[in-house]
Amino acid sequence: GDGAASGGDPGRKTIRIAYQAFPSGDLIVKNQRLLEDALPDYQITWTKFDSGASINTAFVAGSVDIAAIGSSPVARGLSAPLNIPYQVAFVLDVAGDNEALVARNGAGVTDITGLRGKKVGTPFASTAHYSLLAALDRAGVKESELTIVDLEPQDILAAWTRGDLDAAYSWLPSLDELRKTGTVLITSRELATAGKPTLDLGVVATDFVEAHPAAVDAWRKAQSQALNLIHDDPAAAAKSVGAELNLSPEEAQRQLSQGVFLKSEDLASPEWLGTSAAKGKLADNLVSAAQFLKDQQKIDAVPDLATVQAAIYTVGLPDALG
Amino acid sequence: MTTTVSASPTAETSIGASTAARRALAPRGGRRRRILLRLLALVVLYGLWEVAARTTGNPTFIPSPGAVWHQLVQTSTTHDGVRGYSGHLLIEHLGVSLRRILIGSMIGIAGGVLLGVVMGTVSGFRVVIEPVVTFVRALPPLAYFSLFIIWFGIDETPKLWLLSIAALPPVAVATAAAVHSAPTGLVEAARALGAGRVHVIRDVVLPHALPEIFTGIRIAVGVAYSSVVAAETINGVPGIGGMVRDAQRYSQTDVVILGLFAIGLSGLIIDALLRTAENRLIPWRGQI
Amino acid sequence: MTTTVSASPTAETSIGASTAARRALAPRGGRRRRILLRLLALVVLYGLWEVAARTTGNPTFIPSPGAVWHQLVQTSTTHDGVRGYSGHLLIEHLGVSLRRILIGSMIGIAGGVLLGVVMGTVSGFRVVIEPVVTFVRALPPLAYFSLFIIWFGIDETPKLWLLSIAALPPVAVATAAAVHSAPTGLVEAARALGAGRVHVIRDVVLPHALPEIFTGIRIAVGVAYSSVVAAETINGVPGIGGMVRDAQRYSQTDVVILGLFAIGLSGLIIDALLRTAENRLIPWRGQI
Amino acid sequence: MPSAESGDTAAITVTDVEHRYGEVVALGPIDLTVPPGEFLVLVGASGCGKSTLLRLIAGFEQPTTGTVLTGGVPPIPGRSAGLVFQQPRLFPWKTVGGNIELALRYAGQPTDGVDALLNRVGLHDVAKRRTWQISGGQQQRVAIARALAADRPLLLLDEPFAALDALTRERLQEDLRSVSTAPGRTSIFVTHSVDEAVFLGSRVVVLSPRPGRIVLDLPIHLPRTGITPDDLRGLPDYAALRAEIGHAVRSEGASA
Amino acid sequence: MPSAESGDTAAITVTDVEHRYGEVVALGPIDLTVPPGEFLVLVGASGCGKSTLLRLIAGFEQPTTGTVLTGGVPPIPGRSAGLVFQQPRLFPWKTVGGNIELALRYAGQPTDGVDALLNRVGLHDVAKRRTWQISGGQQQRVAIARALAADRPLLLLDEPFAALDALTRERLQEDLRSVSTAPGRTSIFVTHSVDEAVFLGSRVVVLSPRPGRIVLDLPIHLPRTGITPDDLRGLPDYAALRAEIGHAVRSEGASA
Ligand SMILES: Nc1ncnc2c1ncn2[C@@H]1O[C@H](COP(=O)(O)OP(=O)(O)OP(=O)(O)O)[C@@H](O)[C@H]1O
Ligand SMILES: Nc1ncnc2c1ncn2[C@@H]1O[C@H](COP(=O)(O)OP(=O)(O)OP(=O)(O)O)[C@@H](O)[C@H]1O
Ligand SMILES: [Mg+2]
Ligand SMILES: [Mg+2]
């Protein structure tokens, strides 16, 4: 294993990208080889990861340069004790209707307050977990008033079918199955509007940013190209995503349609990344996610806003997204 | 390796130079030396750890002994109104998991011995069951665990199933192999005395297999132990595996290490108990 | 269980009624019967599966045999420009994983035998190493895998480490136990003939331990097999474990089942090879 | 052999039996009929097939050709006959007493007979010992005691006294003689001692070296009762029989 | 014993030795000095400690009290003496030939001597067999051959011929006698046969029943060369010695 970190070596023309199997522009970049075409003299390896936690671990090991990762793990990575030296350089998507809290028909739950004393499943440490707790908080339900069960999405489905769960916060594709026999209590889209968005971010190791700024630019360009494709030619986008996820194009398109994909020009807006002059609200969002983790006793301390802002890579914005 | 009456079962064996006299001395001088050696090893390990932690200087890489100690205190007490880790004390996490491991191992061991004996003695049964056992024991628990949820829900049952299925194969394989190589001479001797099939199994085959069965059991308990995280991926809190998993996802390496220590140390104790039982039950070791 | 020259090593053993004559017949009549019994069992299993699939009617829970077969074809061919599953054919996934399992097992087995022999013969060494081995083998791979990632990166090395560490303990425990119970009489016989310590180990202790070592190896390979999904949680594609995990995440239960079949069947083949080797190498089974 | 039908219990009929282990011809062809009540002593060179013959009669081997019948039916191990193997074959997981107790239990006897049986073979204070904590001769005696636990009409003994000193051997010989004179008792006794053969046997069979065939089948007509062993040995017939058997054994060329 | 210093190779000095296994007193106290060249035959009841004494001299046991020296130094197993155990103790993972080959290799001898050694103990065609595919007497002979592989000045034999027929036994006795008359050869030979004791020994030691003590220590002065075995057995001295030893063995009460 080339665990030894050498991302800071400008002479080394390799990019190690960690991706995850959720529908996003990242998969289009991979599938259509946008980055390979843009950087022909770089050797690019794509590695699939199945959780933000393992990507954080890989960053600690110095095994990856660029990654697609949820906002919750990023908040953890930027906080003590991890303090991973990486920069948030892209917003891949915002959770929309593709993540939701669903109550099982027959459980007698009609709204979030009705969850008191019930059993709710969600994958711990995920964006869904974060959203669930945010939703409970908003509805004034204390975490101790219900049982939250740690389950992977596919296991949620199994337990759900058996009737072991009263509700679940999960994402596609298992969410589709849940909705068939349940009612949606809240979606991440609503939480986002209410100021608790969960996002999938693109992060780049700091030493890689410093050594290969041009490559990072090319990567951001490729990502915005993919975002534009999702908006302009959903069918073509779905085909690529479907190929990566072993899904039919129709199914991929349906899943894509439930997420929120920013327009590339929105990325540099104050709402998200912002610019070098004025960092966007993404930093506040990450700080509040960290605060949430601190309350959960999962991290030692919440990083201050300035630290997080320094970890937002806005060099060349908005033009760099061309 | 001499034929002595008084050889303490825990006396050290050293081929090539052991005599009755050395043996007789071993239990005393040996115990002291053993404890000293182990203490020394512990100190050396501690030193290495401390040095490694200092030089890397990254608590996610290698948390310092102090940090782990601090977590031990934190997770064993109620502080700031929070009880231990995820609302349970360390000892509670460990207790719940130990219970699961013990029940799971027990079921697995009982099943394994039974299967092993039947496989070793009833050929018609073996022909069908042996491939099934071999097939099943190659399967990764993580791959079929979801099926367990479908069948058994998310509470204790699937965890116990997983642990049982993890513990069964080593015992079954060891038992079947040992039964299969029952000593012809003694089997014949029993039969010449009028022993029936069941007698032969009870009085010759099983006693002869006992040492190997014990080896299988010790391996099985180890495997069950090392499956506890897998078993507790689902609804695993309280539970030491669930705790470790949780800590891992939040990169709380010190808690992970603490959990590993709790698992490893309790594993050591259980293995020591098993070895004591083994030495008691098998006085004829080395005499066959 | 009689003392015969020609007893085929695969002949069936049935305590209580086997004689030279029966044995001589067994290989032929036995083989046919064996194959018939197994075919029958397969047919019965298939029937049960088909019925279960039909009655539940939910392909996410129990996919039908046909669906799994379809996936076998799909993942073994290039269709619609997509090559197999995740860009690799089933056989490639399996090949990559088998390579990992074999290398990992080999390292683990070599290390296990070495450790076991040293633990069984050098008492000073055992005192320190045995608790360490017992400690380590209780640790769940899932708990320390992230440490491996941190130390060894995300490529082959951590996977091979995990598989080696999974395979080592059964072999080490079995070897140490077998070495520990080396037959006093034969050890003395060798020493009386002038054998030195190393000779005794090579010519008495190891041959005597061979059956148990083999049992340990068979268990170890099984454990390595069942750890392949854990080893391939990170950067596991291509790899059968990575494939299964991926499929699991998308509730493609038919692919999961297909993967389980691939794992189980290749496990069966490897175990059969090991047993053949065992029977060849240990003609004295049952004679001691 | 027509004589097989004559004895209906514990008689042994070996008809035209040859035994091979794979390629190795170990025994025969042999014809032998033992009527009930006989004490047959089997003598022959090392490797001539004595143990093989006993195993055939006990039912542990099937003859390659020919038939073996005991009491008119094919032998079943553990049913037809008691057997003392050439090696003690004690169970190491049982104490000495435990070994005997097991034998008593298999024989359906009360298990308090352990000490009596041990006494009978001249052993005291060893019931609680482990099987490897007694000497070679003591092990052999435990094996004999184990076989005596069941009171079977047919007893097969494969060099049971080989590891015993003269005195112990003589005591056990006398015990065996008194047991085997009970009506209907049949014994086959393998030994290398010609003296023992004449002393114990009502008939002595000498086998040729491998593959063993019968070269001498000699009835011993010595007084069995009302005579001390020393007087018995002093009889002129005794010396003559010894000489005849010794000659038969020696004249049979090289041992295998 | 002062005489210990007289012989500087292969002499055995047993001084005031007692041996216990735990509580069990197995042997002694015993004093015994064996000068080089002696062929000492050890006789005694079953369980009197003969094997124990041999194990002490071979270095496999340490005396509970007293000292054992061979060649003036404490014995080291496998260095000081060759030893034939009471049981054959063949390695089942080796063929018969493999067992002998191993012994030759340990002894630093060329391994092509396997067949010669097997011939010497009267075995042919068994080199390729497995150890459980030969008879009990054949196993015992393989064990003897194995011990003969190394040409040691001190040879300890624990009832080596117990399972052998008269003819084979006589042949091996002669072989052993010719080997042991080589200068400087010392042997200790355990047997239950008084005849064998007189025939082989240059000295016979009789032990009392457990715990064994020396009750008779008898030098045998019979012509060793230029006489046929049969003539030797015909000498009047021979019969007298037999009688004396036989009497000593018998008079020693009950066996342990
Ligand atoms: N399993 C076997 N495979 C091949 N040959 C065998 C086997 N068992 C015995 N033999 C051979 O068969 C012959 C007869 O063996 P058996 O044990 O009956 O001899 P025995 O008369 O009892 O000899 P001993 O007096 O030495 O005990 C011997 O030559 C022996 O080598
Ligand atoms: N390991 C042991 N533990 C306890 N007692 C033992 C042990 N080994 C031997 N003995 C006892 O010590 C005594 C001497 O044993 P040893 O084997 O030396 O006798 P032996 O003279 O060789 O007898 P045999 O002629 O029967 O072989 C016996 O009474 C025996 O029961
Ligand atoms: Mg025999
Ligand atoms: Mg002895």
Side-chain angles (χ1 to χ4, degrees):
Chain A
D2 50 327
S6 50
D9 177 6
R12 201 196 53 141
K13 299 264 189 189
T14 62
I15 309 179
R16 296 162 303 171
I17 303 180
Y19 72 103
Q20 292 193 73
F22 50 75
S24 75
D26 202 35
L27 294 182
I28 299 172
V29 172
K30 173 173 188 294
N31 185 258
Q32 303 196 347
R33 302 180 58 81
L34 299 180
L35 193 57
E36 282 82 349
D37 291 343
L39 297 171
D41 47 346
Y42 275 81
Q43 192 207 328
I44 297 168
T45 53
W46 292 82
T47 304
K48 190 195 268 185
F49 282 74
D50 58 11
S51 68
S54 51
I55 291 181
N56 272 343
T57 307
F59 268 111
V60 171
S63 295
V64 294
D65 302 314
I66 298 177
I69 179 173
S71 51
S72 184
V74 169
R76 259 177 276 149
L78 292 176
S79 312
L82 279 180
N83 297 323
I84 298 172
Y86 54 40
Q87 305 264 306
V88 180
F90 211 84
V91 178
L92 298 174
D93 66 81
V94 183
D97 301 327
N98 51 359
E99 268 187 39
L101 176 60
V102 191
R104 189 169 51 83
N105 293 341
V109 181
T110 47
D111 58 0
I112 296 176
T113 48
L115 287 174
R116 288 198 171 91
K118 302 286 184 184
K119 213 177 238 182
V120 185
T122 193
F124 277 19
S126 67
T127 46
H129 188 204
Y130 173 74
S131 300
L132 171 64
L133 294 173
L136 289 175
D137 190 45
R138 250 168 42 98
V141 179
K142 284 215 207 75
E143 204 185 327
S144 54
E145 289 177 301
L146 60 149
T147 314
I148 303 181
V149 181
D150 177 19
L151 286 171
E152 294 299 317
Q154 71 269 19
D155 298 332
I156 287 180
L157 200 56
W160 175 280
T161 314
R162 285 175 49 86
D164 289 347
L165 295 175
D166 301 306
Y169 209 123
S170 187
W171 54 74
L172 292 175
S174 66
L175 181 60
D176 271 340
E177 297 295 321
L178 299 182
R179 281 192 289 227
K180 279 184 198 160
T181 54
T183 26
V184 176
L185 300 182
I186 195 168
T187 66
S188 291
R189 188 191 295 274
E190 295 166 45
L191 282 170
T193 350
K196 292 279 181 195
T198 50
L199 329 115
D200 289 316
L201 304 173
V203 297
V204 186
T206 307
D207 54 2
F208 186 83
V209 171
E210 283 157 6
H212 303 273
V216 176
D217 283 345
W219 173 73
R220 287 194 295 189
K221 280 216 176 65
Q223 289 291 356
S224 22
Q225 232 177 303
L227 278 186
N228 291 338
L229 190 69
I230 291 173
H231 287 288
D232 303 341
D233 188 354
K239 189 161 178 293
S240 292
V241 170
E244 288 298 325
L245 294 180
N246 297 310
L247 296 176
S248 69
E250 301 77 46
E251 177 61 21
Q253 189 163 356
R254 219 173 52 74
Q255 294 195 6
L256 276 175
S257 70
Q258 296 184 41
V260 177
F261 295 93
L262 304 179
K263 297 226 165 58
S264 63
E265 52 268 30
D266 293 343
L267 276 174
S269 71
E271 184 72 15
W272 305 106
L273 294 174
T275 59
S276 297
K279 297 280 168 114
K281 265 171 64 182
L282 178 60
D284 305 80
N285 180 279
L286 288 174
V287 169
S288 89
Q291 180 59 49
F292 165 79
L293 289 168
K294 171 81 171 87
D295 296 341
Q296 295 276 309
Q297 302 225 316
K298 299 303 182 194
I299 57 174
D300 296 349
V302 179
D304 54 32
L305 185 61
T307 314
V308 177
Q309 281 177 337
I312 308 275
Y313 184 66
T314 47
V315 174
L317 287 186
D319 310 330
L321 297 172
Chain B
M1 287 262 159
T2 48
T3 329
T4 55
V5 195
S6 60
S8 145
T10 54
E12 295 153 67
T13 324
S14 86
I15 289 161
S18 76
T19 57
R22 281 194 50 142
R23 273 263 176 123
L25 286 172
R28 263 240 211 104
R31 178 157 303 165
R32 205 199 235 131
R33 187 164 145 263
R34 217 157 58 215
I35 291 172
L36 268 178
L37 266 176
R38 286 188 181 153
L39 277 181
L40 189 77
L42 276 185
V43 170
V44 168
L45 280 183
Y46 176 85
L48 283 180
W49 179 9
E50 188 73 59
V51 167
R54 300 243 166 132
T55 48
T56 54
N58 184 336
T60 333
F61 255 76
I62 304 179
S64 72
V68 175
W69 179 258
H70 175 71
Q71 283 296 351
L72 171 63
V73 175
Q74 290 275 306
T75 53
S76 301
T77 51
T78 303
H79 50 93
D80 313 336
V82 179
R83 192 143 183 280
Y85 190 91
S86 303
H88 299 270
L89 299 183
L90 178 66
I91 193 91
E92 292 167 349
H93 285 296
L94 189 60
V96 169
S97 292
L98 278 185
R99 193 178 151 272
R100 287 173 185 155
I101 290 171
L102 289 186
I103 297 179
S105 301
M106 232 109 85
I107 298 174
I109 290 167
V113 170
L114 202 78
L115 265 183
V117 169
V118 176
M119 279 189 333
T121 53
V122 188
S123 67
F125 197 77
R126 180 170 80 231
V127 167
V128 172
I129 290 303
E130 200 167 76
V132 173
V133 170
T134 310
F135 188 97
V136 168
R137 72 192 176 86
L139 301 183
L142 290 180
Y144 57 72
F145 199 31
S146 305
L147 289 177
F148 279 8
I149 296 185
I150 296 172
W151 298 333
F152 309 119
I154 53 171
D155 295 326
E156 287 300 288
T157 329
K159 300 181 183 80
L160 295 181
W161 266 97
L162 186 133
L163 293 174
S164 307
I165 287 193
L168 187 142
V171 182
V173 170
T175 306
V179 165
H180 192 57
S181 56
T184 313
L186 297 182
V187 169
E188 282 181 0
R191 290 177 60 209
L193 294 171
R197 196 189 173 84
V198 173
H199 293 133
V200 168
I201 291 175
R202 189 192 63 196
D203 297 331
V204 180
V205 174
L206 275 183
H208 169 264
L210 205 54
E212 274 203 62
I213 292 178
F214 253 104
T215 306
I217 289 177
R218 287 179 50 214
I219 296 175
V221 173
V223 172
Y225 250 95
S226 68
S227 305
V228 73
V229 171
E232 291 177 352
T233 36
I234 284 158
N235 195 9
V237 176
I240 197 85
M243 181 186 109
V244 165
R245 231 182 101 81
D246 225 34
Q248 209 171 29
R249 275 188 300 210
Y250 294 102
S251 302
Q252 296 172 301
T253 317
D254 41 7
V255 177
V256 172
I257 301 270
L258 177 65
L260 287 178
F261 266 106
I263 293 173
L265 288 178
S266 62
L268 262 182
I269 292 169
I270 291 194
D271 197 65
L273 291 179
L274 280 175
R275 287 163 64 86
T276 310
E278 190 179 4
N279 285 329
R280 287 268 166 80
L281 287 173
I282 311 175
W284 67 90
R285 183 184 279 281
Q287 300 295 347
I288 197 171
Chain C
M1 284 256 157
T2 47
T3 330
T4 56
V5 195
S6 60
S8 145
T10 53
E12 294 154 65
T13 324
S14 86
I15 292 161
S18 76
T19 57
R22 281 193 48 140
R23 273 265 175 121
L25 285 173
R28 264 239 210 102
R31 177 156 303 161
R32 206 199 236 130
R33 187 163 145 263
R34 217 157 58 218
I35 291 174
L36 269 178
L37 266 175
R38 287 191 180 148
L39 277 182
L40 189 75
L42 277 185
V43 170
V44 169
L45 281 182
Y46 176 86
L48 284 179
W49 179 8
E50 189 74 60
V51 168
R54 300 241 167 135
T55 48
T56 53
N58 185 337
T60 340
F61 285 3
I62 305 181
S64 71
V68 174
W69 178 258
H70 176 72
Q71 283 298 348
L72 170 63
V73 175
Q74 290 275 303
T75 53
S76 300
T77 51
T78 304
H79 50 95
D80 311 334
V82 181
R83 194 147 178 279
Y85 189 90
S86 302
H88 299 271
L89 300 182
L90 178 66
I91 193 90
E92 292 168 351
H93 286 293
L94 189 61
V96 169
S97 292
L98 278 187
R99 192 177 151 272
R100 287 174 186 152
I101 291 171
L102 288 187
I103 296 179
S105 301
M106 232 109 86
I107 298 174
I109 290 167
V113 170
L114 203 77
L115 265 184
V117 168
V118 176
M119 277 184 343
T121 53
V122 188
S123 67
F125 197 78
R126 182 172 75 229
V127 167
V128 173
I129 290 302
E130 201 167 75
V132 173
V133 171
T134 310
F135 188 96
V136 168
R137 74 194 174 84
L139 302 184
L142 290 179
Y144 55 72
F145 193 41
S146 52
L147 291 178
F148 279 5
I149 299 290
I150 293 177
W151 296 335
F152 307 119
I154 54 171
D155 295 327
E156 287 300 290
T157 328
K159 300 182 182 75
L160 295 181
W161 267 98
L162 185 134
L163 293 174
S164 307
I165 286 192
L168 188 142
V171 182
V173 170
T175 306
V179 165
H180 192 57
S181 56
T184 313
L186 296 183
V187 170
E188 282 181 2
R191 289 177 61 208
L193 293 171
R197 196 190 174 82
V198 173
H199 293 133
V200 168
I201 292 174
R202 190 192 61 196
D203 297 330
V204 180
V205 174
L206 275 183
H208 168 265
L210 204 54
E212 275 204 62
I213 292 179
F214 253 103
T215 306
I217 289 178
R218 287 179 49 213
I219 296 175
V221 172
V223 173
Y225 250 95
S226 68
S227 305
V228 73
V229 170
E232 291 178 351
T233 37
I234 286 177
N235 195 9
V237 175
I240 197 85
M243 181 186 106
V244 165
R245 249 183 97 79
D246 242 33
Q248 216 168 24
R249 192 137 330 99
Y250 289 95
S251 299
Q252 296 170 305
T253 316
D254 42 6
V255 177
V256 173
I257 301 273
L258 178 65
L260 287 177
F261 267 106
I263 292 173
L265 288 179
S266 61
L268 262 182
I269 292 170
I270 291 194
D271 197 64
L273 290 178
L274 281 173
R275 288 164 62 88
T276 309
E278 190 179 5
N279 285 329
R280 286 268 165 82
L281 286 173
I282 311 174
W284 67 90
R285 184 184 278 280
Q287 298 296 347
I288 199 171
Chain D
M1 297 279 111
S3 63
E5 280 86 51
S6 65
D8 54 350
T9 53
I12 302 166
T13 325
V14 173
T15 317
D16 202 25
V17 161
E18 187 180 273
H19 192 74
R20 293 167 198 242
Y21 297 103
E23 306 274 271
V24 184
V25 185
L27 181 75
I30 266 187
D31 282 292
L32 184 71
T33 310
V34 185
E38 189 105 78
F39 195 112
L40 189 145
V41 178
L42 201 59
V43 183
S46 167
C48 75
K50 304 180 294 297
S51 301
T52 303
L53 182 55
L54 254 49
R55 292 175 56 84
L56 283 165
I57 295 171
F60 284 111
E61 306 276 347
Q62 296 295 312
T64 314
T65 62
T67 54
V68 175
L69 301 177
T70 56
V73 294
I76 300 168
R79 298 275 176 79
S80 322
L83 172 59
V84 178
F85 292 91
Q86 198 166 356
Q87 294 81 23
R89 302 198 176 180
L90 305 183
F91 305 123
W93 34 86
K94 298 264 173 199
T95 58
V96 169
N99 268 273
I100 309 234
E101 200 182 307
L102 208 58
L104 284 168
R105 203 170 297 146
Y106 292 156
Q109 306 279 343
T111 54
D112 52 7
V114 171
D115 283 332
L117 271 172
L118 283 175
N119 272 330
R120 220 170 122 186
V121 294
L123 291 174
H124 321 275
D125 297 336
V126 296
K128 293 224 179 75
R129 296 238 198 115
R130 292 272 152 196
T131 53
W132 59 92
Q133 292 174 340
I134 54 176
S135 77
Q138 289 169 336
Q139 289 176 4
Q140 205 170 27
R141 281 182 277 164
V142 175
I144 297 169
R146 225 170 44 169
L148 292 176
D151 230 9
R152 292 178 204 273
L154 175 55
L155 196 57
L156 310 171
L157 302 117
D158 200 349
E159 306 187 29
F161 302 157
L164 299 183
D165 61 295
L167 198 65
T168 314
R169 185 185 273 244
E170 277 162 25
R171 288 203 186 138
L172 288 177
Q173 281 171 355
E174 276 163 54
D175 180 75
L176 212 60
R177 259 193 17 157
S178 68
V179 167
S180 59
T181 49
R185 283 306 159 108
T186 313
S187 309
I188 301 193
F189 185 99
V190 175
T191 184
H192 286 305
S193 162
V194 175
D195 188 71
E196 198 166 56
V198 179
F199 182 76
L200 281 176
S202 66
R203 178 176 168 193
V204 174
V205 168
V206 179
L207 292 183
S208 67
R210 180 159 74 83
R213 299 170 193 225
I214 298 175
V215 292
L216 182 72
D217 188 342
L218 193 70
I220 310 276
H221 298 295
L222 291 173
R224 291 285 153 194
T225 44
I227 185 167
T228 68
D230 279 346
D231 287 349
L232 182 68
R233 287 201 173 85
L235 294 177
D237 276 7
Y238 190 91
L241 287 164
R242 268 198 60 162
E244 188 175 352
I245 295 165
H247 180 76
V249 170
R250 279 211 174 67
S251 65
E252 276 303 323
S255 64
Chain E
M1 297 277 113
S3 65
E5 281 85 49
S6 67
D8 53 352
T9 52
I12 302 165
T13 327
V14 174
T15 317
D16 203 24
V17 161
E18 188 181 273
H19 191 76
R20 290 167 201 245
Y21 296 104
E23 307 273 271
V24 184
V25 185
L27 181 75
I30 266 189
D31 283 294
L32 183 70
T33 311
V34 185
E38 190 102 80
F39 195 112
L40 189 145
V41 177
L42 201 60
V43 184
S46 167
C48 75
K50 303 178 296 297
S51 300
T52 303
L53 182 56
L54 254 49
R55 292 175 56 85
L56 283 164
I57 295 171
F60 282 111
E61 305 277 347
Q62 297 294 312
T64 313
T65 63
T67 55
V68 174
L69 301 178
T70 57
V73 294
I76 300 168
R79 297 277 174 76
S80 321
L83 173 59
V84 178
F85 293 91
Q86 198 166 355
Q87 294 79 22
R89 301 196 176 182
L90 306 183
F91 305 123
W93 32 87
K94 297 263 173 200
T95 57
V96 170
N99 269 273
I100 310 238
E101 200 183 307
L102 208 59
L104 285 167
R105 205 172 293 147
Y106 292 155
Q109 306 279 343
T111 52
D112 51 7
V114 171
D115 282 332
L117 271 172
L118 283 176
N119 271 330
R120 222 171 120 186
V121 293
L123 291 174
H124 320 274
D125 298 335
V126 297
K128 293 223 178 77
R129 295 236 199 117
R130 291 272 152 194
T131 53
W132 60 90
Q133 293 174 339
I134 54 177
S135 77
Q138 289 168 336
Q139 289 176 4
Q140 204 170 30
R141 282 182 276 165
V142 174
I144 297 169
R146 226 171 43 169
L148 292 176
D151 229 9
R152 293 178 205 271
L154 176 55
L155 196 57
L156 310 171
L157 302 115
D158 200 348
E159 307 188 28
F161 302 157
L164 299 183
D165 60 295
L167 198 67
T168 314
R169 185 184 272 243
E170 277 162 26
R171 288 207 184 133
L172 288 177
Q173 281 172 355
E174 276 165 53
D175 180 76
L176 211 60
R177 257 191 23 154
S178 69
V179 166
S180 60
T181 48
R185 282 306 159 107
T186 314
S187 308
I188 300 192
F189 186 98
V190 175
T191 184
H192 286 305
S193 161
V194 175
D195 187 73
E196 198 166 56
V198 179
F199 182 77
L200 281 176
S202 66
R203 178 177 169 193
V204 174
V205 169
V206 179
L207 293 182
S208 67
R210 179 158 76 85
R213 299 170 194 224
I214 297 175
V215 291
L216 181 71
D217 189 342
L218 193 70
I220 310 277
H221 298 296
L222 290 173
R224 291 287 151 191
T225 46
I227 185 167
T228 67
D230 279 346
D231 288 349
L232 182 68
R233 286 200 173 86
L235 293 177
D237 276 7
Y238 191 92
L241 288 165
R242 268 197 60 163
E244 188 175 354
I245 296 165
H247 179 75
V249 170
R250 278 209 175 65
S251 65
E252 278 301 327
S255 63

